[in-house]
Amino acid sequence: MHDTVKQDYLAQAERHLAKVQERVARQKRIIDELVQAGQETDCAVSMLHALETCLHAFEQHREMIFERCRN
């Protein structure tokens, strides 16, 4: 695979990772708002856990691409 293609994949992975990080941060803000309003947070916390699982997967994927770019 050409270096430019590898770099494009890595850049795309970085963009995806940034989007998931934004969603995790937003979900945490939503949970804070629910807590302040005295509302139930079970579903919001469950969603946060799912987003954090996705974040971890994207981090692993980025690392795999990064390793391939180094070779």
Side-chain angles (χ1 to χ4, degrees):
M1 191 178 297
H2 295 290
D3 287 343
T4 55
V5 173
K6 290 178 183 179
Q7 291 300 321
D8 288 346
Y9 280 134
L10 185 58
Q12 183 180 32
E14 291 287 349
R15 287 191 302 273
H16 290 163
L17 184 57
K19 284 183 181 181
V20 176
Q21 289 170 331
E22 290 172 10
R23 289 181 178 148
V24 167
R26 181 175 182 268
Q27 191 66 20
K28 287 179 180 180
R29 288 191 304 273
I30 289 169
I31 291 169
D32 288 343
E33 291 170 6
L34 290 171
V35 168
Q36 290 176 4
Q39 299 293 316
E40 190 65 42
T41 61
D42 291 347
C43 289
V45 169
S46 179
M47 177 59 75
L48 175 61
H49 291 255
L51 288 169
E52 289 173 332
T53 298
C54 290
L55 177 61
H56 182 67
F58 275 103
E59 289 169 338
Q60 288 178 325
H61 183 68
R62 178 194 56 192
E63 188 62 31
M64 180 190 69
I65 294 170
F66 181 73
E67 289 298 319
R68 288 185 180 175
C69 286
R70 288 180 23 182
N71 296 328

XYZ file of all heavy atoms in Angstrom:
583
model
N 0.846 -1.169 0.000
C 0.000 0.000 0.000
C 0.899 1.242 0.000
O 1.883 1.304 0.721
C -0.896 -0.027 1.240
C -1.968 0.988 1.214
S -3.083 0.916 2.659
C -3.816 -0.699 2.492
N 0.548 2.225 -0.775
C 1.339 3.447 -0.878
C 1.234 4.274 0.402
O 0.230 4.240 1.099
C 0.876 4.297 -2.067
C 1.114 3.632 -3.389
N 2.376 3.447 -3.897
C 0.248 3.115 -4.298
C 2.276 2.838 -5.074
N 0.998 2.615 -5.338
N 2.288 5.040 0.645
C 2.323 5.861 1.852
C 1.174 6.862 1.905
O 0.614 7.111 2.974
C 3.659 6.597 1.963
C 4.798 5.660 2.337
O 4.514 4.538 2.824
O 5.955 6.058 2.165
N 0.810 7.434 0.774
C -0.276 8.418 0.787
C -1.609 7.769 1.150
O -2.408 8.369 1.870
C -0.403 9.138 -0.566
O -0.560 8.173 -1.600
C 0.807 10.008 -0.847
N -1.829 6.567 0.681
C -3.065 5.854 1.012
C -3.079 5.527 2.505
O -4.103 5.707 3.177
C -3.206 4.569 0.157
C -4.392 3.749 0.620
C -3.330 4.915 -1.314
N -1.936 5.092 3.026
C -1.845 4.801 4.459
C -2.137 6.050 5.281
O -2.870 6.001 6.270
C -0.461 4.264 4.808
C -0.176 2.880 4.289
C 1.240 2.456 4.656
C 1.604 1.109 4.092
N 2.989 0.737 4.440
N -1.569 7.167 4.863
C -1.785 8.416 5.583
C -3.246 8.855 5.507
O -3.793 9.393 6.472
C -0.858 9.510 5.040
C 0.598 9.285 5.365
C 0.869 9.221 6.863
O 0.293 9.966 7.638
N 1.746 8.322 7.253
N -3.882 8.609 4.363
C -5.307 8.928 4.222
C -6.151 8.086 5.185
O -7.078 8.599 5.812
C -5.787 8.707 2.787
C -5.269 9.756 1.825
O -4.759 10.803 2.282
O -5.350 9.507 0.597
N -5.836 6.803 5.292
C -6.550 5.926 6.226
C -6.347 6.391 7.663
O -7.284 6.432 8.458
C -6.085 4.476 6.100
C -6.687 3.724 4.939
C -5.892 2.951 4.108
C -8.052 3.761 4.682
C -6.432 2.252 3.040
C -8.605 3.058 3.612
C -7.786 2.307 2.795
O -8.318 1.610 1.747
N -5.124 6.759 7.989
C -4.831 7.229 9.331
C -5.582 8.528 9.622
O -6.163 8.693 10.699
C -3.325 7.416 9.518
C -2.862 7.802 10.913
C -3.301 6.772 11.949
C -1.342 7.960 10.933
N -5.612 9.442 8.676
C -6.333 10.701 8.856
C -7.830 10.455 9.040
O -8.474 11.094 9.886
C -6.084 11.625 7.665
N -8.365 9.533 8.266
C -9.780 9.196 8.404
C -10.057 8.592 9.778
O -11.053 8.927 10.431
C -10.207 8.234 7.306
C -11.677 7.897 7.346
C -12.085 6.942 6.245
O -11.297 6.095 5.820
N -13.305 7.064 5.782
N -9.190 7.708 10.233
C -9.351 7.103 11.554
C -9.305 8.181 12.635
O -10.080 8.141 13.602
C -8.272 6.051 11.791
N -8.422 9.154 12.483
C -8.326 10.256 13.441
C -9.617 11.074 13.462
O -10.091 11.465 14.530
C -7.140 11.160 13.106
C -5.785 10.537 13.328
C -5.410 10.387 14.790
O -6.099 10.959 15.672
O -4.427 9.686 15.064
N -10.191 11.323 12.295
C -11.452 12.070 12.229
C -12.580 11.302 12.907
O -13.373 11.878 13.666
C -11.821 12.385 10.775
C -10.965 13.462 10.139
C -11.529 13.914 8.801
N -11.665 12.838 7.830
C -10.717 12.426 6.999
N -9.522 12.997 7.031
N -10.942 11.455 6.141
N -12.661 10.012 12.635
C -13.696 9.189 13.265
C -13.521 9.167 14.777
O -14.507 9.262 15.525
C -13.665 7.768 12.709
C -14.127 7.673 11.296
N -13.870 6.572 10.509
C -14.829 8.520 10.508
C -14.394 6.760 9.314
N -14.981 7.942 9.298
N -12.296 9.027 15.215
C -12.005 9.003 16.641
C -12.421 10.325 17.292
O -13.038 10.337 18.362
C -10.513 8.734 16.861
C -10.041 8.590 18.292
C -10.779 7.480 19.014
C -8.551 8.317 18.314
N -12.124 11.426 16.642
C -12.493 12.738 17.183
C -14.012 12.873 17.314
O -14.512 13.420 18.309
C -11.939 13.843 16.299
N -14.749 12.357 16.340
C -16.211 12.424 16.400
C -16.755 11.620 17.573
O -17.668 12.063 18.274
C -16.832 11.917 15.102
C -16.729 12.897 13.964
C -17.416 12.371 12.722
C -17.269 13.362 11.577
N -17.947 12.900 10.368
N -16.199 10.435 17.791
C -16.663 9.617 18.905
C -16.290 10.282 20.233
O -17.083 10.276 21.173
C -16.112 8.175 18.817
C -16.524 7.363 20.034
C -16.596 7.491 17.551
N -15.115 10.888 20.303
C -14.727 11.600 21.522
C -15.702 12.745 21.806
O -16.083 12.966 22.961
C -13.302 12.142 21.395
C -12.255 11.056 21.440
C -10.870 11.546 21.066
O -10.711 12.500 20.290
N -9.845 10.881 21.588
N -16.119 13.452 20.770
C -17.108 14.524 20.933
C -18.432 13.964 21.441
O -19.082 14.568 22.304
C -17.341 15.244 19.603
C -16.190 16.084 19.141
C -16.379 16.623 17.723
O -17.497 16.492 17.162
O -15.406 17.164 17.179
N -18.833 12.831 20.910
C -20.104 12.225 21.331
C -20.045 11.756 22.783
O -21.027 11.874 23.515
C -20.476 11.085 20.388
C -20.901 11.617 19.044
C -21.292 10.535 18.074
N -21.725 11.160 16.828
C -21.552 10.618 15.651
N -20.976 9.439 15.527
N -21.972 11.239 14.572
N -18.893 11.217 23.186
C -18.722 10.802 24.585
C -18.833 12.027 25.488
O -19.545 12.004 26.504
C -17.380 10.063 24.794
C -17.046 9.925 26.273
C -17.416 8.686 24.135
N -18.155 13.101 25.129
C -18.208 14.323 25.931
C -19.634 14.875 25.999
O -20.100 15.292 27.076
C -17.260 15.371 25.352
N -20.327 14.844 24.873
C -21.713 15.331 24.847
C -22.600 14.466 25.740
O -23.443 14.980 26.481
C -22.248 15.322 23.416
C -23.675 15.824 23.303
C -24.117 15.911 21.828
N -25.460 16.438 21.728
C -26.560 15.684 21.693
N -26.480 14.374 21.730
N -27.749 16.243 21.599
N -22.404 13.162 25.688
C -23.221 12.269 26.503
C -22.966 12.513 27.989
O -23.890 12.471 28.799
C -22.950 10.801 26.137
C -23.934 9.835 26.733
C -25.347 10.007 26.185
O -25.569 10.576 25.114
N -26.326 9.510 26.924
N -21.726 12.795 28.342
C -21.419 13.106 29.745
C -22.120 14.386 30.184
O -22.621 14.469 31.313
C -19.909 13.227 29.941
C -19.204 11.881 29.902
C -17.703 12.036 30.065
C -17.027 10.680 30.033
N -15.555 10.793 30.191
N -22.177 15.370 29.289
C -22.901 16.613 29.609
C -24.394 16.338 29.790
O -25.033 16.891 30.695
C -22.677 17.661 28.521
C -21.270 18.246 28.525
C -21.149 19.468 27.621
N -21.543 19.230 26.242
C -20.740 18.775 25.273
N -19.473 18.491 25.542
N -21.189 18.613 24.050
N -24.933 15.479 28.936
C -26.348 15.114 29.050
C -26.618 14.453 30.397
O -27.597 14.776 31.075
C -26.771 14.190 27.884
C -26.810 14.985 26.575
C -28.118 13.523 28.179
C -26.966 14.128 25.334
N -25.738 13.562 30.803
C -25.907 12.885 32.090
C -25.859 13.901 33.226
O -26.686 13.852 34.154
C -24.858 11.773 32.266
C -25.143 10.639 31.280
C -24.846 11.256 33.712
C -24.034 9.610 31.164
N -24.917 14.828 33.158
C -24.833 15.879 34.183
C -26.126 16.687 34.254
O -26.630 16.979 35.351
C -23.659 16.817 33.909
C -22.312 16.171 34.180
O -22.261 15.131 34.881
O -21.304 16.706 33.679
N -26.678 17.027 33.101
C -27.928 17.783 33.058
C -29.077 16.980 33.657
O -29.919 17.529 34.392
C -28.257 18.192 31.623
C -27.320 19.226 31.053
C -27.514 19.452 29.566
O -28.459 18.899 28.970
O -26.692 20.197 28.984
N -29.119 15.691 33.349
C -30.172 14.833 33.904
C -30.058 14.749 35.422
O -31.073 14.821 36.134
C -30.106 13.437 33.286
C -30.517 13.321 31.822
C -30.200 11.928 31.288
C -31.997 13.637 31.659
N -28.844 14.595 35.918
C -28.620 14.522 37.358
C -29.072 15.822 38.020
O -29.771 15.805 39.040
C -27.135 14.208 37.678
C -26.829 14.418 39.151
C -26.783 12.793 37.264
N -28.683 16.955 37.441
C -29.064 18.259 38.001
C -30.571 18.458 38.016
O -31.108 19.114 38.916
C -28.389 19.383 37.224
C -26.895 19.457 37.448
C -26.233 20.527 36.586
O -26.902 21.274 35.858
N -24.917 20.595 36.664
N -31.238 17.879 37.025
C -32.698 18.001 36.946
C -33.412 16.933 37.763
O -34.643 16.910 37.815
C -33.143 17.927 35.487
N -32.653 16.042 38.395
C -33.260 14.975 39.189
C -33.916 13.898 38.355
O -34.807 13.193 38.828
N -33.478 13.748 37.120
C -34.055 12.767 36.197
C -33.298 11.444 36.256
O -32.160 11.376 36.721
C -34.024 13.317 34.769
C -34.800 14.582 34.565
C -36.294 14.369 34.720
O -36.856 13.408 34.218
N -36.935 15.261 35.449
N -33.923 10.423 35.733
C -33.314 9.091 35.646
C -32.168 9.109 34.634
O -32.285 9.726 33.577
C -34.379 8.075 35.218
C -33.951 6.647 35.305
C -33.672 6.207 36.730
O -34.435 6.567 37.640
O -32.668 5.499 36.923
N -31.093 8.424 34.954
C -29.917 8.440 34.078
C -29.548 7.064 33.530
O -28.558 6.952 32.800
C -28.698 9.006 34.829
O -28.416 8.175 35.959
C -28.919 10.442 35.262
N -30.299 6.041 33.866
C -29.912 4.680 33.471
C -29.671 4.541 31.972
O -28.645 4.000 31.554
C -30.966 3.657 33.908
C -31.019 3.476 35.407
O -30.085 3.948 36.099
O -31.995 2.876 35.897
N -30.600 5.007 31.162
C -30.454 4.879 29.705
C -29.291 5.720 29.197
O -28.526 5.262 28.333
C -31.739 5.294 28.998
S -33.089 4.121 29.216
N -29.141 6.912 29.738
C -28.052 7.791 29.302
C -26.692 7.199 29.676
O -25.745 7.259 28.890
C -28.221 9.179 29.914
N -26.611 6.605 30.852
C -25.360 5.977 31.279
C -25.073 4.751 30.420
O -23.926 4.509 30.024
C -25.401 5.618 32.786
C -24.223 4.738 33.182
C -25.424 6.889 33.626
N -26.107 3.998 30.099
C -25.939 2.841 29.223
C -25.411 3.273 27.855
O -24.509 2.632 27.290
C -27.273 2.108 29.078
O -27.135 1.005 28.209
N -25.960 4.355 27.336
C -25.485 4.884 26.052
C -24.033 5.336 26.167
O -23.232 5.095 25.259
C -26.370 6.051 25.597
C -25.897 6.701 24.312
S -25.831 5.574 22.906
C -27.557 5.433 22.526
N -23.679 5.964 27.277
C -22.297 6.387 27.488
C -21.354 5.186 27.447
O -20.306 5.243 26.812
C -22.155 7.124 28.817
C -20.735 7.522 29.205
C -20.116 8.462 28.172
C -20.727 8.147 30.593
N -21.742 4.103 28.092
C -20.902 2.901 28.079
C -20.740 2.358 26.666
O -19.641 1.930 26.280
C -21.478 1.837 29.015
C -21.371 2.195 30.450
N -20.461 1.646 31.317
C -22.068 3.082 31.179
C -20.601 2.178 32.513
N -21.578 3.055 32.453
N -21.810 2.381 25.889
C -21.729 1.920 24.495
C -20.800 2.824 23.685
O -19.973 2.339 22.898
C -23.129 1.894 23.867
N -20.917 4.133 23.887
C -20.038 5.067 23.176
C -18.580 4.879 23.579
O -17.681 4.947 22.732
C -20.480 6.509 23.442
C -21.772 6.937 22.774
C -22.239 8.278 23.339
C -21.617 7.009 21.266
N -18.340 4.630 24.853
C -16.969 4.407 25.315
C -16.394 3.112 24.737
O -15.204 3.039 24.429
C -16.916 4.406 26.837
C -17.124 5.783 27.418
C -17.242 5.821 28.923
O -17.695 4.820 29.533
O -16.889 6.848 29.510
N -17.246 2.110 24.556
C -16.811 0.867 23.912
C -16.428 1.152 22.462
O -15.395 0.673 21.975
C -17.921 -0.200 23.984
O -18.189 -0.484 25.363
C -17.513 -1.470 23.266
N -17.241 1.948 21.779
C -16.920 2.348 20.399
C -15.626 3.148 20.359
O -14.783 2.940 19.471
C -18.047 3.176 19.797
S -19.544 2.249 19.450
N -15.453 4.038 21.315
C -14.234 4.844 21.384
C -13.009 3.946 21.505
O -12.012 4.138 20.798
C -14.313 5.814 22.563
C -13.087 6.681 22.816
C -12.790 7.574 21.623
C -13.293 7.507 24.074
N -13.097 2.966 22.356
C -11.981 2.029 22.531
C -11.693 1.281 21.227
O -10.528 1.113 20.845
C -12.284 1.051 23.660
C -11.194 0.095 23.946
N -9.971 0.466 24.466
C -11.120 -1.234 23.752
C -9.202 -0.596 24.584
N -9.875 -1.641 24.156
N -12.739 0.860 20.533
C -12.557 0.160 19.258
C -11.893 1.065 18.228
O -10.994 0.636 17.491
C -13.900 -0.351 18.740
N -12.314 2.330 18.166
C -11.698 3.271 17.234
C -10.236 3.528 17.592
O -9.388 3.668 16.706
C -12.469 4.595 17.198
C -13.638 4.583 16.254
C -14.930 4.450 16.737
C -13.450 4.707 14.886
C -16.012 4.428 15.873
C -14.523 4.695 14.009
C -15.809 4.561 14.504
N -9.937 3.579 18.880
C -8.543 3.768 19.303
C -7.680 2.583 18.865
O -6.560 2.763 18.382
C -8.462 3.957 20.812
C -9.005 5.279 21.277
C -9.177 5.375 22.778
O -9.287 4.325 23.467
O -9.232 6.506 23.278
N -8.215 1.388 19.033
C -7.484 0.188 18.599
C -7.299 0.191 17.087
O -6.231 -0.174 16.588
C -8.219 -1.069 19.038
C -8.143 -1.322 20.516
C -8.920 -2.561 20.912
O -9.964 -2.875 20.348
N -8.390 -3.280 21.895
N -8.324 0.575 16.368
C -8.255 0.619 14.908
C -7.203 1.629 14.447
O -6.395 1.345 13.565
C -9.626 0.975 14.331
C -9.685 0.971 12.836
N -9.575 -0.171 12.092
C -9.835 1.984 11.963
C -9.652 0.143 10.803
N -9.801 1.439 10.703
N -7.213 2.803 15.079
C -6.213 3.817 14.740
C -4.805 3.300 15.009
O -3.895 3.495 14.212
C -6.448 5.085 15.541
C -5.372 6.149 15.245
C -5.358 7.261 16.218
N -5.188 6.746 17.558
C -5.353 7.459 18.649
N -5.708 8.711 18.577
N -5.182 6.926 19.836
N -4.632 2.606 16.110
C -3.311 2.064 16.455
C -2.858 1.036 15.420
O -1.695 1.006 15.029
C -3.346 1.436 17.852
C -1.999 1.037 18.369
C -1.038 2.209 18.525
O -1.480 3.331 18.802
O 0.174 1.995 18.350
N -3.793 0.200 14.963
C -3.468 -0.783 13.938
C -3.020 -0.086 12.656
O -2.021 -0.467 12.032
C -4.679 -1.680 13.653
C -4.426 -2.739 12.589
S -5.946 -3.571 12.087
C -6.781 -2.256 11.212
N -3.749 0.938 12.257
C -3.378 1.677 11.042
C -2.030 2.352 11.235
O -1.180 2.333 10.343
C -4.469 2.717 10.678
C -5.769 2.001 10.288
C -3.999 3.626 9.554
C -6.949 2.935 10.160
N -1.817 2.948 12.411
C -0.559 3.610 12.700
C 0.603 2.631 12.573
O 1.654 2.954 11.978
C -0.590 4.236 14.098
C 0.666 4.958 14.461
C 0.974 6.172 13.895
C 1.529 4.396 15.378
C 2.137 6.830 14.228
C 2.698 5.067 15.728
C 3.006 6.280 15.142
N 0.437 1.442 13.118
C 1.494 0.423 13.024
C 1.771 0.051 11.572
O 2.928 -0.132 11.176
C 1.124 -0.821 13.831
C 1.175 -0.618 15.325
C 2.573 -0.270 15.817
O 3.543 -0.860 15.332
O 2.658 0.614 16.693
N 0.726 -0.055 10.774
C 0.912 -0.381 9.355
C 1.606 0.756 8.610
O 2.356 0.512 7.667
C -0.414 -0.713 8.704
C -0.947 -2.048 9.153
C -2.198 -2.420 8.415
N -2.672 -3.713 8.885
C -3.787 -4.264 8.502
N -4.558 -3.660 7.606
N -4.153 -5.427 8.966
N 1.359 1.979 9.026
C 1.994 3.136 8.391
C 3.489 3.170 8.691
O 4.288 3.660 7.888
C 1.354 4.439 8.845
S -0.263 4.728 8.124
N 3.866 2.682 9.847
C 5.285 2.679 10.231
C 6.083 1.659 9.438
O 7.277 1.804 9.281
C 5.427 2.387 11.724
C 4.983 3.534 12.562
C 5.107 3.310 14.028
N 6.069 2.298 14.409
C 6.288 1.935 15.649
N 5.609 2.497 16.619
N 7.161 1.003 15.941
N 5.439 0.631 8.950
C 6.135 -0.447 8.216
C 6.236 -0.145 6.747
O 5.619 0.576 6.130
C 5.423 -1.777 8.422
C 5.472 -2.189 9.881
O 6.435 -1.883 10.591
N 4.445 -2.852 10.326
